[in-house]
Amino acid sequence: MKKTLIMLSVVMLLVSAVFGAGTIKIGVAFPMTGGIAAFGQMTLNGVKVAQSLYPTVLGKKIVLIVADNRSDKTEAANVVSRLIDYNHVKAIIGEIASSHSLAGGSIAERSHVPMLSPASTNPLVTQGKHYVFRACFIDPFQGHVAAVFAYNNLKARTAVVFTDVVQDYSVGLANFFVKDFVAMGGKVYKEFYQSGDQDFSAQLTDALNKHPDVIYVPGYYPEIALMARQARQLGYTGPFLAGDGAEAPELVKIGGAAVNGVYYTSHFNADAPFTEIGKEFVAKYKEMFKESPSALAALGFDSYLLLRNAIKRAGSDEPEKIAAALRHTKHFEGATGYITIDKYGNTIKSAVVNVVKNGKFTYVTTINP
Amino acid sequence: MKRISFKTNFILTVIFVIGSGFMLLWASNSLGDYWARIITLMAIYGIMATSYTLVNGVTGIFSLGHAGFIAVGAYTAALLTLPIQQKAMSFFITPLIWPLNSIQMGFLPATIIAGCVAAFAAFLVGYPSLRVTGDYFAIATLAFAEIIRIVIQNSYSVTNGSLGLKGIPPYTTIWWAWGWLLVTLIVLGSFKFSSYGRALRAMSEDTVAARAMGIDVFKHQLMSFVVSGFFAGIGGALYAHWLTTIDPRPTSLGIMLTFFVLIMIVVGGLGSLSGAVLGAVFFAFSAQWLRIVESPMNFFGLTIPGIPGMSMLIFAVVFILIMLFWRRGIMGRDELSWQYIYNHFSKRVGDQD
C-alpha cells in the first residue's frame, strides 16, 4: 500500500511538472461517461479541432484539462470546483446539459472564474450570474425562431404543441413558442407526453381532429421519430417542427421515410456554413474525424475560440479580465455565425432551420435575431 | 477482556469529537475549496447513510425509497430558504403558489421543517407499505419514491416541475454538515441502544420470535422508518444547499441516489452506524481521489492519455474486493466504539504472544 502511495505521488509530481510556465490552462468539464456521454464526446471533438488550428494565445500554449462529470449533477459541481481549485485553470469550457451548468455555474460564480457553456440553452443558466456565459442561443430565442418560421415560412395558423413534460428543455421551448405564436395571431392546442413513451396514438388522434397546419414537438429525437411514424399512419401529411433535440442520425434510422418533412431549428449545418471560419472548421473536422461535424462540435469549436479571443483582447490570462472581455464580445466570427454576448452573458446570434429531406439534414433558411 | 468504563468512554469520545473539530478546522482552512466541498459532501452522505442503515440494517427491512425522502427534504428546505426575488425569476412558467412565494427563512428552521415534512412523508409511505414484508416491501417503497419524484416533476406551481430550482443559497458549510452528522449519530446511536433499538434488532433476527416476546412489530418498524425519514430529510436539505440547484431527474434525486447510499451502507456494514459513516466517507473520497487515473500521466517521458470512466472501473473492482474479503462490510454489525478498538488491539497483542 505504501509503495503504491509513493508511486502515485511521484506520478502526480510528474504530471504537475508537465504544466509549467508558458501555458494557459483551460478546463473542460464535459460528460465523458454516463447517460449523455455522446454529447460530451461530440463537443470535445469540436474543441480539439479548434485547439489544433489555434494552439496558442498571447505567445503561450493553451493546455486543455478535461474533467469528466459522469453525467451526474453532484459531480458536475465537483469537477468545476476541482478544475478551479486543484488544477488552477484560468477559464472553463463547460457543462453541456443545462442542469449540470446550473450546478457548476454557481461554483464558477463564487470563485470568479469564467465558465462558458457550449450548449446549455436554458435561460436560468446565466440568469443573475457575472461569470457564466454560453456560446449557444437561449430557449426563448429558439422558441421565437420556431414560431416565426411556422407563421411566416410554413404559413401555419393552427399549431399543435407536444410538450415532453419531464424535460425542462422541452417545457421551456414549448412555452416560448406558444407565447410568440399566439402573439402573432396563431392558434395553439397543447398535447403532452414523456420521454420514453412509445405510443402517441391517443394524443395524435386528438391533435389531428384540430386540423393543425404544423405539429411542433420540441423534444428529443427518439420520440419525434416514433411520433412522426404514427402520425403518418394516421394520415397526417403536414410538416413537423422541432428544436435542436431532433438533430441526431438516429432520427432517420428510427423514423425512416416518415421523418421526411421534419423541420428543426438548430445552431449549425455542416453543408452550409455561413462564415469563412465555419468552412475551415468543417474541412479540418472532416480531416481529423472522417465525418461531418454535428452542431455540438461546432459549438465546442466556437466556445474555444470565444475564450481564446477574450484572452487575446484582455491581454492577460487573469480570470477576472477574461470574464470582462467575454462580456464585451461583439460580432465575433465563429463557425455557427456571428456571435455577440450581451450583458447578461447570453449570446445573440442567428439560428438555422434545417429539414429532413430524403433522409438527409438539409439547410432551409437562417433566421436572425 | 476488560470493559471500558462509562466515564473513560465518555471522556475519550468528547476528546475525539473535539479533535475531529480541530481536524475539520484545519481542513477547511488549508485544504482549499475543492476538498472542503468533498469533506462537506462526506458528512451529507454520512447523514443519508446512517439514516438508511437504521431501516435496512438495524431494523432489517429492505427499503428502496430513501431518495424519495431525501428529495422531499431537499425541496422543502430549498423552497423555504430561496430568496423571494429568486423564486419570482425561476418560476417563469407557472408562478409559485401562496404562501411559499412570500416566505424566506433561516437555514436552521428550514432544515428542521424539511426533516419533519420528510418524516411525515415517511409515515404516509410506511403506514401502508409496512403491511407487506421482504421483497414486496422493497418494491412498494421503490414505487413510492418514484411517485414522490413524479409528483415533484409535475407540480409546476410548487416545485417548478422539471425545470428544477436554482440559486439556492450555499448555506451548507463543513460545520453545518458535520454538526448535523454529530446530531444524527447521537440521536440514532441512543435510539439503537435503547429498548426500542433492541426490539428492532430482535425483529431483524426473527420477526416471529420478536412478536412472540410481545414486541409490536408494525409499530416499531414504522417508528424506525419515520425517524429514518426525518434524517433523510435533513440530509436532503443539506444536500440542496450544498449543490445550490436541484431537479427531479432520475439521475439526481432518483433511484441512483438510493443505490449510491445502499453501496455506502453495504460497504460500511449493514446495521452499523459508524460503518455507514465510514462507507460514506470512503465513497465520497474515492470517487474524487480516483480521478487521478483519468488525467494524463507521464511516466519518465512516456505519456499515457487519461481514459474517462477508468475511475468508475477501479471503483467497481474495489467494491467487489471489499465484498469478497469483508463479506459483511468493513464493520459488520459492530460499532466503532472504544471497546471495539480496545478488543481488537488486545487481541492482536495476544496473538503475537
Side-chain angles (χ1 to χ4, degrees):
Chain A
M1 189 63 204
K2 212 169 194 177
K3 232 182 213 167
T4 5
L5 272 175
I6 294 170
M7 276 267 285
L8 276 168
S9 17
V10 169
V11 167
M12 276 175 64
L13 270 176
L14 284 171
V15 170
S16 51
V18 175
F19 307 113
T23 60
I24 291 178
K25 285 193 271 186
I26 290 182
V28 179
F30 284 172
M32 301 308 296
T33 55
I36 54 169
F39 294 163
Q41 194 60 53
M42 278 193 258
T43 321
L44 185 62
N45 285 351
V47 175
K48 280 182 176 160
V49 170
Q51 195 197 16
S52 71
L53 284 174
Y54 305 97
T56 58
V57 65
L58 304 174
K60 292 180 183 173
K61 199 167 170 281
I62 296 178
V63 177
L64 295 176
I65 298 175
V66 182
D68 172 20
N69 69 22
R70 297 173 190 156
S71 306
D72 180 272
K73 201 167 175 173
T74 310
E75 288 302 312
N78 286 345
V79 291
V80 171
S81 179
R82 182 183 174 91
L83 285 170
I84 294 171
D85 198 53
Y86 179 83
N87 296 117
H88 303 288
V89 298
K90 302 295 180 193
I92 295 170
I93 301 177
E95 311 283 5
I96 311 260
S98 292
S99 69
H100 296 168
S101 291
L102 283 171
S106 68
I107 309 278
E109 182 77 14
R110 254 182 284 161
S111 314
H112 293 206
V113 171
M115 180 175 125
L116 179 70
S117 166
S120 297
T121 50
N122 186 335
L124 294 178
V125 169
T126 51
Q127 193 188 60
K129 299 244 161 67
H130 298 102
Y131 294 88
V132 182
F133 305 89
R134 59 177 122 217
C136 52
F137 45 64
I138 52 174
D139 287 338
F141 177 66
Q142 199 177 169
H144 167 77
V145 166
V148 169
F149 181 79
Y151 198 84
N152 293 344
N153 297 51
L154 296 177
K155 307 276 176 235
R157 294 296 175 266
T158 312
V160 174
V161 178
F162 276 76
T163 311
D164 183 342
V165 287
V166 302
Q167 302 289 351
D168 53 341
Y169 159 78
S170 181
V171 173
L173 222 48
N175 187 50
F176 298 118
F177 174 87
V178 170
K179 216 188 251 170
D180 282 14
F181 195 71
V182 170
M184 277 186 280
K187 210 167 176 188
V188 173
Y189 298 98
K190 290 182 192 169
E191 297 287 345
F192 300 94
Y193 70 99
Q194 278 195 22
S195 291
D197 281 0
Q198 303 279 329
D199 178 32
F200 305 95
S201 44
Q203 294 102 310
L204 280 169
T205 312
D206 186 45
L208 296 185
N209 283 337
K210 311 283 195 309
H211 302 289
D213 302 318
V214 62
I215 295 181
Y216 184 51
V217 201
Y220 288 101
Y221 58 85
E223 288 80 25
I224 297 173
L226 287 174
M227 200 181 287
R229 283 189 93 114
Q230 292 167 18
R232 300 291 185 226
Q233 276 163 10
L234 288 170
Y236 178 70
T237 52
F240 279 92
L241 186 58
D244 56 341
E247 186 165 7
E250 285 77 7
L251 178 75
V252 182
K253 266 185 218 155
I254 305 169
V259 294
N260 283 333
V262 173
Y263 293 86
Y264 65 90
T265 49
S266 183
H267 308 267
F268 179 72
N269 187 317
D271 297 329
F274 30 61
T275 59
E276 280 309 309
I277 198 145
K279 284 176 193 142
E280 194 185 349
F281 162 67
V282 173
K284 184 74 183 172
Y285 191 96
K286 282 184 176 159
E287 182 199 319
M288 280 175 73
F289 298 104
K290 313 277 176 275
E291 58 177 15
S292 237
S294 59
L296 275 174
L299 289 169
F301 178 85
D302 278 0
S303 306
Y304 178 92
L305 289 191
L306 275 168
L307 262 185
R308 181 174 171 273
N309 177 265
I311 296 172
K312 207 155 103 190
R313 277 184 294 119
S316 151
D317 62 356
E318 271 173 54
E320 291 275 357
K321 290 187 178 154
I322 301 176
L326 264 178
R327 248 194 308 277
H328 292 105
T329 303
K330 291 245 150 48
H331 206 66
F332 171 79
E333 184 187 344
T336 58
Y338 291 93
I339 297 169
T340 299
I341 294 182
D342 67 10
K343 61 177 184 216
Y344 306 109
N346 290 330
T347 297
I348 300 163
K349 66 189 221 189
S350 39
V352 177
V353 181
N354 296 330
V355 67
V356 185
K357 205 185 245 175
N358 302 323
K360 289 231 159 26
F361 298 134
T362 319
Y363 171 78
V364 180
T365 182
T366 304
I367 293 181
N368 293 313
Chain B
M1 201 174 287
K2 203 182 132 218
R3 279 205 68 85
I4 295 179
S5 71
F6 176 77
K7 203 173 144 192
T8 331
N9 214 336
F10 185 75
I11 293 171
L12 280 173
T13 308
V14 169
I15 292 173
F16 176 74
V17 169
I18 295 173
S20 315
F22 276 110
M23 282 274 284
L24 291 176
L25 186 66
W26 170 78
S28 64
N29 287 334
S30 53
L31 279 185
D33 214 32
Y34 169 57
W35 282 109
R37 275 182 70 76
I38 304 306
I39 291 168
T40 312
L41 184 64
M42 286 173 186
I44 297 172
Y45 279 160
I47 295 167
M48 294 176 183
T50 41
S51 56
Y52 196 34
T53 209
L54 179 70
V55 171
N56 282 27
V58 179
T59 316
I61 45 178
F62 193 67
S63 152
L64 283 175
H66 211 54
F69 308 129
I70 293 173
V72 169
Y75 266 94
T76 311
L79 283 169
L80 292 176
T81 60
L82 261 178
I84 291 163
Q85 202 191 354
Q86 181 67 51
K87 283 178 183 166
M89 285 204 298
S90 294
F91 286 74
F92 64 86
I93 288 187
T94 318
L96 184 60
I97 53 159
W98 189 88
L100 285 171
N101 61 1
S102 47
I103 291 179
Q104 188 191 351
M105 60 169 77
F107 188 37
L108 186 64
T111 310
I112 293 169
I113 294 174
C116 294
V117 174
F120 183 65
F123 175 78
L124 291 183
V125 171
Y127 196 79
S129 311
L130 283 167
R131 314 264 156 182
V132 292
T133 51
D135 302 345
Y136 305 103
F137 179 74
I139 300 295
T141 47
L142 176 66
F144 271 113
E146 272 300 285
I147 289 171
I148 290 175
R149 197 180 64 73
I150 286 166
V151 166
I152 290 174
Q153 197 159 54
N154 288 288
S155 322
Y156 275 88
S157 57
V158 183
T159 62
N160 213 13
S162 55
L163 294 167
L165 296 174
K166 74 143 206 162
I168 304 165
Y171 287 142
T172 306
T173 58
I174 280 190
W175 303 111
W176 275 115
W178 284 87
W180 269 112
L181 179 62
L182 184 67
V183 172
T184 311
L185 281 177
I186 291 171
V187 173
L188 294 187
S190 330
F191 187 68
K192 185 180 168 183
F193 294 104
S194 68
S195 66
Y196 294 113
R198 276 192 280 275
L200 294 180
R201 275 178 289 160
M203 279 153 33
S204 79
E205 294 296 331
D206 192 331
T207 324
V208 178
R211 188 173 285 132
M213 296 296 291
I215 297 171
D216 186 344
V217 173
F218 175 75
K219 195 182 102 187
H220 280 80
Q221 285 181 341
L222 187 61
M223 188 160 56
S224 130
F225 202 66
V226 169
V227 171
S228 160
F230 178 82
F231 284 104
I234 301 280
L238 292 169
Y239 179 72
H241 291 83
W242 174 83
L243 192 59
T244 73
T245 157
I246 45 174
D247 62 57
R249 271 160 217 277
T251 49
S252 32
L253 284 173
I255 186 69
M256 279 314 287
L257 185 60
T258 304
F259 286 148
F260 284 162
V261 184
L262 189 60
I263 290 172
M264 294 171 211
I265 65 170
V266 171
V267 165
L270 267 178
S272 165
L273 298 176
S274 41
V277 177
L278 284 180
V281 169
F282 176 73
F283 186 89
F285 176 73
S286 46
Q288 300 307 318
W289 188 69
L290 283 172
R291 281 187 185 277
I292 293 173
V293 301
E294 289 185 8
S295 54
M297 291 190 203
N298 205 323
F299 280 109
F300 307 104
L302 180 75
T303 309
I304 303 165
I307 307 163
M310 196 64 194
S311 66
M312 293 316 269
L313 215 64
I314 296 177
F315 213 28
V317 171
V318 169
F319 283 139
I320 290 169
L321 288 179
I322 287 179
M323 286 292 101
L324 279 177
F325 292 104
W326 279 299
R327 205 145 298 170
R328 304 181 65 186
I330 299 170
M331 293 301 301
R333 296 199 73 157
D334 300 321
E335 292 296 346
L336 188 63
S337 59
W338 298 112
Q339 186 73 48
Y340 177 86
I341 294 168
Y342 177 79
N343 291 351
H344 260 244
F345 188 67
S346 53
K347 211 196 297 173
R348 182 111 356 126
V349 173
D351 285 348
Q352 276 165 357
D353 281 343

